[in-house]
Amino acid sequence: MTHPLLSAQTGQKALLLGNEAIARGALEAGVAFASAYPGTPSSEIALQFFQIARETDLYFEYSANEKVSLEVAAGAAMCGLRAIVSMKHVGLNVASDALMTLAYTGIPGALVVAVADDPFMYSSQNEQDSRYYAKLASLPVLEPSSVAEAKDMARYAFDLSEMLKLPVILRTTTRINHASGVVEFGHLRARNTAGSFQKAPFSYVCIPSVSRTLHPLLLKRMAQAENIAEESRWNIIEGEGPWGVACNGASYGYVSDAIAEGGFKNRFRILRLGMSYPISEKRVLQFLSGLEKVLVVEEGEPFMEEAIRCVAQQAGLTTPIAGKRTDLFSRLYEFDPAIVKNALNHYFGLALAIAKPIGTQGLPPLPDRPPNLCPGCPHRGAYTAIREVLGDSAIYPTDIGCYTLGLHAPLNMGDFLIAMGAGVGSAGGFAKATGRKVVAFIGDSTFFHSGLSPLANAVYNRHDFLLVILDNGTTGMTGHQPHPGVDVSHLNIERSPIDMESVVRGLGVQNVFTVNPLHFRKTVDAVKQASACTGPSVLIAKALCPLYAKTLPGQKPKTPYVVRHDRCKDHRVCVDKTGCPAFSVTSAGVEIDALRCAGCSLCAQLCPEKAIAPLAREIKTP
Amino acid sequence: MKTLRVMIVAVGGQGNILAAKLLGEAGLSRGLDVRMSEFHGMAQRGGVVESMVLLGDGKGYCIANGEADFLVGFEPCETLRAAGKCSPKTIVITNTAPVPPFTVSLGGSPYPDVQGALTALAPRVGKLVSFDATALAQEAGSAVSVNIVMMGALVAHLAPHLQKEDFLNAIREKTKPALIDVNLRAFEAGVFAVDQTTARTGGFK
Ligand code: SF4
Ligand code: SF4
């Protein structure tokens, strides 16, 4: 079956997710090479390429991490291909080392770095603003305000990159990546997948003497980029009036809707910067000229605001310019229509109607509904066993993935979390500083992403901690993407999966244990043994993510478990130790929802009364 | 036409995103501009899933507090949690079948008296339609169609901007072939539930 993004006819309209639109834009640009490490809210961009690569000559790979992903794509772009790499905002931190100097060499082909920011941190550890990377690296950045624009800008980004011979950053936020809108399909440009490399070591090998010639070249290219920004169709000035509003990305929609709703089109001049770096001074001056006052509406950091102030200062303008200010906009979180209207009202003395929510006084308090490990998740087994052995005596640095959810009660596993791989890295510090038992957690995908070097460090520097690798055979949190340990031959994709235990031993770890974490007693024993070792030891808790297992050939669903009320003494050990969401506690006692139970048997192993049994057997022995 | 703002809230696994997509497709086939956004960071893991669907002209993708014309909740607690999206004019359509979060089983906060809470909510909003959509979905053939039952109840309120037929077509074109018949029945059950509640209460407030 042809992928829907490929079968669409030119001129046809469809409702697409922002991420699908970005992928389609790249396809319309004739992208030949794509790579990614998944991360919310960017993951669906890569998913499209993953699927399309299976039916066309587009090359796609899930790389081990964002830096590798960027480097692989850079290699292809060095050979003249059109390449794209997609990641979430914090992924760019990982990739940034390569990006900074790639800006110096530039690329003969085209390279688009699609990066998805997550204001309000719907599913991220911070809400950093990626636009600063554009400034730091000296690279152009494009920011769409709508799903339709996401497609068109993605396509244009390749042309811009090829023109400037520089990587181009396509920066979005969750409100664009995970928005859907109506998109008109454009022409699909033919893919060129045959690259060729022209050697030019004194342009591409960044030793100091070469880099000294490359940095001025980069500045020259960025000067050219500024000229392009001046004429760019993405930098729109619309409306005419004494007041100015400068905006970008998702905030443009709120501004535009508010002004249209209020009927104030003749009072405002709007500057929407779609190419927000390098900023076009001329364009900004054109916007500023004659305005009484200006409000800058941008989520995140005052990136545009600072740039606009600089332009105004240079031109000797004293127009009041405001944006991030305690009584206007915050640097925190996402905006919404009401936040923007409030600021417009306050700053310009307007009375735009703001919807007034109903009062919720007197409504009962609601129980939280935090995300939880799925029923049957093997991480629950590992955590339950570790808690059984070590309780709160150990320090538990953790990492990024589904297993981070072990933080919640009743598992309460996780004491420190900052970045991919940082659980392993920080564990040594915790151990040295306290002399306490330290047990760090990392998932298999995260281990290949950034666990290898901190583990090598721990071996060499003789750190003393237990690393538990929660190996569920996939990248669970972002939608079950493969990683270097995953066999994907059932999808007819040839890869060479790496054996986790060999890697760990290869790094010099002496004490390595592997256990199925859904075997409770065996896991308890393994934890006891492993945590008694000194030096870095590794426990690989290996069992497939049940959601992923469902997608594999030959995997049968397991029989659900039930509570036999004739035996149950209502200790609730099962619920209180596992926190498995298949349980509910009613006046009748503890119940398992057979539709949700994944049949992992963990609770049955914990029940002192042996009152939990597989459904079929329970029926056979009444 | 004034932009219609529909807020859909549900628990992970209840098919919120698909419901929103079908609504969007139905709107598109009517020639409406459609903008939606979805928040499902950890949907598979039992968290809350939110969709915002904006039908009609405009540029923003977000519904602020007090801005929803419709609040559709697939689970009563989640409907109540999203009450801040309502204005005194909002039409609230909610399933009454609870899906207690596991925090309740762990003996944290209790699951609230939903009926009482909905009764307290009703006079504050334009209209409140509540019924056991999960039971209706089961009758239609599958509990997983609860999302489609809810959409039936919503679309019953959307004429003339959107017709039932638009949504039925979306079901035929965009849902799994094996589920089309169940979904079509589920949709009609939702439409019928609105007629019933409205008849019973004589224009339920
Ligand atoms: S997706 Fe898989 S790994 Fe993630 S919580 Fe669910 S079962 Fe566990
Ligand atoms: S067997 Fe027990 S622990 Fe495992 S999924 Fe079923 S109820 Fe949850």
Side-chain angles (χ1 to χ4, degrees):
Chain A
M1 201 184 93
T2 317
H3 193 281
L5 288 186
L6 289 180
S7 58
Q9 301 296 311
T10 306
Q12 196 181 321
K13 284 188 175 174
L15 190 58
L16 291 190
L17 189 68
N19 282 339
E20 292 169 336
I22 291 170
R24 170 70 193 197
L27 292 164
E28 288 180 6
V31 67
F33 198 102
S35 56
Y37 184 81
T40 315
S42 76
S43 306
E44 297 83 1
I45 302 174
L47 177 65
Q48 312 307 315
F49 296 132
F50 173 76
Q51 291 165 341
I52 288 167
R54 295 180 61 197
E55 52 185 82
T56 67
D57 62 349
L58 169 76
Y59 178 81
F60 173 74
E61 70 170 48
Y62 282 116
S63 312
N65 67 27
E66 293 86 353
K67 177 169 182 284
V68 178
S69 187
L70 171 64
E71 290 157 353
V72 169
M78 288 308 294
C79 304
L81 298 189
R82 291 192 149 201
I84 189 168
V85 52
S86 53
M87 62 194 69
K88 70 184 295 173
H89 59 333
V90 286
L92 192 50
N93 297 339
V94 179
S96 62
D97 191 12
L99 188 67
M100 294 300 131
T101 312
L102 185 62
Y104 278 30
T105 63
I107 33 121
L111 178 60
V112 175
V113 181
V115 55
D117 285 9
D118 190 15
F120 190 68
M121 302 165 275
Y122 287 97
S123 40
S124 305
Q125 65 269 41
N126 73 27
E127 53 183 351
Q128 66 185 49
D129 188 331
S130 297
R131 294 177 296 173
Y132 283 98
Y133 273 111
K135 203 168 180 176
L136 185 59
S138 272
L139 289 174
V141 63
L142 296 170
E143 293 185 74
S145 294
S146 71
V147 172
E149 252 187 4
K151 181 190 72 96
D152 293 340
M153 273 193 190
R155 185 181 55 203
Y156 170 76
F158 287 88
D159 296 337
L160 181 64
S161 171
E162 216 161 68
M163 217 177 331
L164 295 170
K165 309 235 163 299
L166 287 179
V168 168
I169 297 175
L170 179 67
R171 185 248 185 183
T172 46
T173 56
T174 309
R175 192 65 68 176
I176 299 294
N177 296 96
H178 283 176
S180 297
V182 183
V183 168
E184 185 177 327
F185 291 108
H187 171 69
L188 283 174
R189 182 179 144 148
R191 243 186 310 280
N192 169 28
T193 55
S196 65
F197 180 60
Q198 306 294 321
K199 287 180 184 244
F202 294 97
S203 296
Y204 297 150
V205 179
C206 293
I207 55 172
S209 58
V210 170
S211 290
R212 280 183 211 116
T213 66
L214 292 181
H215 197 184
L217 176 63
L218 172 58
L219 297 188
K220 220 162 101 194
R221 285 172 167 161
M222 285 303 276
Q224 192 193 344
E226 195 183 322
N227 290 335
I228 293 171
E230 194 185 322
E231 300 298 322
S232 174
R233 64 182 152 123
W234 308 115
N235 294 336
I236 309 159
I237 295 180
E238 61 184 23
E240 200 36 79
W243 298 331
V245 178
C247 51
N248 70 329
S251 66
Y252 168 66
Y254 308 140
V255 168
S256 167
D257 286 351
I259 290 176
E261 253 176 65
F264 289 127
K265 280 197 173 152
N266 57 351
R267 305 270 277 276
F268 285 97
R269 187 188 297 163
I270 301 178
L271 171 68
R272 198 296 304 264
L273 286 180
M275 184 169 172
S276 55
Y277 196 79
I279 201 153
S280 160
E281 284 187 26
K282 287 197 188 141
R283 202 90 176 119
V284 171
L285 270 180
Q286 195 188 335
F287 163 70
L288 289 176
S289 99
L291 290 178
E292 279 169 23
K293 59 201 290 201
V294 172
L295 183 65
V296 185
V297 188
E298 59 187 324
E299 290 171 331
E301 302 297 323
F303 183 86
M304 282 196 308
E305 185 183 338
E306 285 164 358
I308 293 171
R309 276 181 206 281
C310 281
V311 174
Q313 193 272 344
Q314 285 230 317
L317 293 175
T318 53
T319 322
I321 298 168
K324 304 291 173 185
R325 219 167 76 176
T326 44
D327 59 337
L328 293 169
F329 291 113
S330 165
R331 288 157 66 173
L332 309 177
Y333 314 147
E334 245 198 331
F335 291 174
D336 70 17
I339 292 174
V340 171
K341 280 186 201 164
N342 257 318
L344 287 168
N345 282 350
H346 183 67
Y347 190 64
F348 296 108
L350 298 175
L352 291 163
I354 296 171
K356 224 175 145 250
I358 58 163
T360 51
Q361 69 285 355
L363 295 181
L366 300 168
D368 285 347
R369 197 184 290 278
N372 187 357
L373 296 172
C374 303
C377 178
H379 303 332
R380 179 174 289 106
Y383 285 143
T384 308
I386 295 164
R387 174 146 292 281
E388 185 85 0
V389 178
L390 296 166
D392 280 324
S393 67
I395 302 173
Y396 299 111
T398 187
D399 226 297
I400 292 174
C402 285
Y403 51 95
T404 313
L405 299 175
L407 170 74
H408 295 297
L411 303 168
N412 301 314
M413 289 301 220
D415 289 317
F416 183 60
L417 169 77
I418 48 172
M420 299 278 282
V424 197
S426 62
F430 278 107
K432 290 262 185 236
T434 62
R436 280 173 69 181
K437 183 89 260 159
V438 175
V439 179
F441 304 117
I442 194 168
D444 43 346
S445 187
T446 310
F447 181 72
F448 285 115
H449 179 289
S450 16
L452 296 161
S453 39
L455 186 58
N457 179 68
V459 170
Y460 178 71
N461 285 314
R462 302 190 170 193
H463 289 307
D464 181 18
F465 62 87
L466 168 61
L467 174 64
V468 179
I469 302 178
L470 299 153
D471 182 359
N472 62 1
T474 187
T475 314
M477 187 59 113
T478 49
H480 306 99
Q481 293 84 355
H483 61 65
V486 177
D487 180 11
V488 277
S489 53
H490 63 286
L491 300 174
N492 293 320
I493 301 174
E494 287 179 26
R495 293 290 188 266
S496 303
I498 301 169
D499 176 56
M500 182 70 75
E501 197 173 316
S502 318
V503 175
V504 172
R505 289 192 193 280
L507 283 175
V509 180
Q510 303 291 335
N511 301 305
V512 186
F513 307 81
T514 298
V515 71
N516 176 348
L518 291 171
H519 293 168
F520 183 70
R521 274 292 135 210
K522 282 191 190 152
T523 308
V524 164
D525 291 345
V527 173
K528 280 183 185 153
Q529 258 182 300
S531 60
C533 302
T534 41
S537 55
V538 171
L539 173 65
I540 303 171
K542 193 178 169 78
L544 284 182
C545 160
L547 298 193
Y548 175 60
K550 263 196 235 168
T551 68
L552 297 176
Q555 291 268 345
K556 288 198 206 82
K558 293 188 194 161
T559 320
Y561 279 65
V562 285
V563 178
R564 296 185 48 170
H565 290 288
D566 55 331
R567 291 196 178 174
C568 173
K569 296 239 167 74
D570 209 22
H571 308 296
R572 302 194 185 171
V573 178
C574 49
V575 188
D576 293 347
K577 284 201 174 167
T578 67
C580 174
F583 276 100
S584 59
V585 181
T586 65
S587 48
V590 178
E591 293 288 359
I592 293 174
D593 179 349
L595 291 174
R596 301 197 66 199
C597 170
C600 76
S601 86
L602 177 68
C603 56
Q605 296 171 60
L606 292 169
C607 175
E609 309 297 336
K610 304 248 173 305
I612 303 178
L615 188 56
R617 204 181 309 153
E618 196 256 358
I619 287 164
K620 264 184 250 141
T621 55
Chain B
M1 156 193 161
K2 172 190 170 294
T3 303
L4 289 178
R5 296 179 169 84
V6 182
M7 178 87 197
I8 308 174
V9 293
V11 175
Q14 285 189 313
N16 180 336
I17 306 288
L18 176 65
K21 184 164 166 62
L22 293 174
L23 182 62
E25 292 287 351
L28 178 60
S29 71
R30 257 292 127 182
L32 299 176
D33 188 23
V34 179
R35 294 174 311 289
M36 325 199 297
S37 46
E38 55 189 60
F39 289 90
H40 56 96
M42 301 183 186
Q44 281 180 325
R45 286 143 213 101
V48 181
V49 187
E50 284 182 8
S51 304
M52 298 173 178
V53 183
L54 293 90
L55 300 169
D57 295 341
K59 290 186 176 149
Y61 289 84
C62 176
I63 300 174
N65 280 347
E67 267 193 354
D69 296 297
F70 295 89
L71 168 63
V72 186
F74 296 2
E75 201 276 346
C77 248
E78 295 319 315
T79 307
L80 292 165
R81 207 188 300 279
K85 292 287 175 193
C86 298
S87 73
K89 289 198 203 131
T90 305
I91 297 179
V92 179
I93 304 169
T94 185
N95 185 6
T96 51
V99 180
F102 78 104
T103 45
V104 170
S105 300
L106 287 175
S109 29
Y111 195 82
D113 162 24
V114 164
Q115 213 45 62
L118 290 177
T119 310
L121 179 64
R124 302 181 200 187
V125 296
K127 176 180 175 188
L128 182 119
V129 180
S130 62
F131 57 95
D132 186 340
T134 308
L136 292 182
Q138 270 154 353
E139 269 170 45
S142 168
V144 300
S145 293
V146 66
N147 55 346
I148 308 293
V149 175
M150 294 307 297
M151 288 296 107
L154 169 70
V155 174
H157 289 90
L158 292 183
H161 308 299
L162 201 75
Q163 302 293 347
K164 264 173 59 178
E165 205 44 45
D166 303 324
F167 202 95
L168 291 170
N169 284 337
I171 292 179
R172 290 187 197 106
E173 280 162 28
K174 304 278 172 181
T175 65
K176 282 191 197 131
L179 279 178
I180 291 177
D181 286 339
V182 176
N183 282 338
L184 294 174
R185 280 199 299 276
F187 183 81
E188 294 295 352
V191 174
F192 188 66
V194 174
D195 295 346
Q196 288 298 91
T197 357
T198 314
R200 215 175 340 111
T201 58
F204 195 101
K205 169 72 184 166

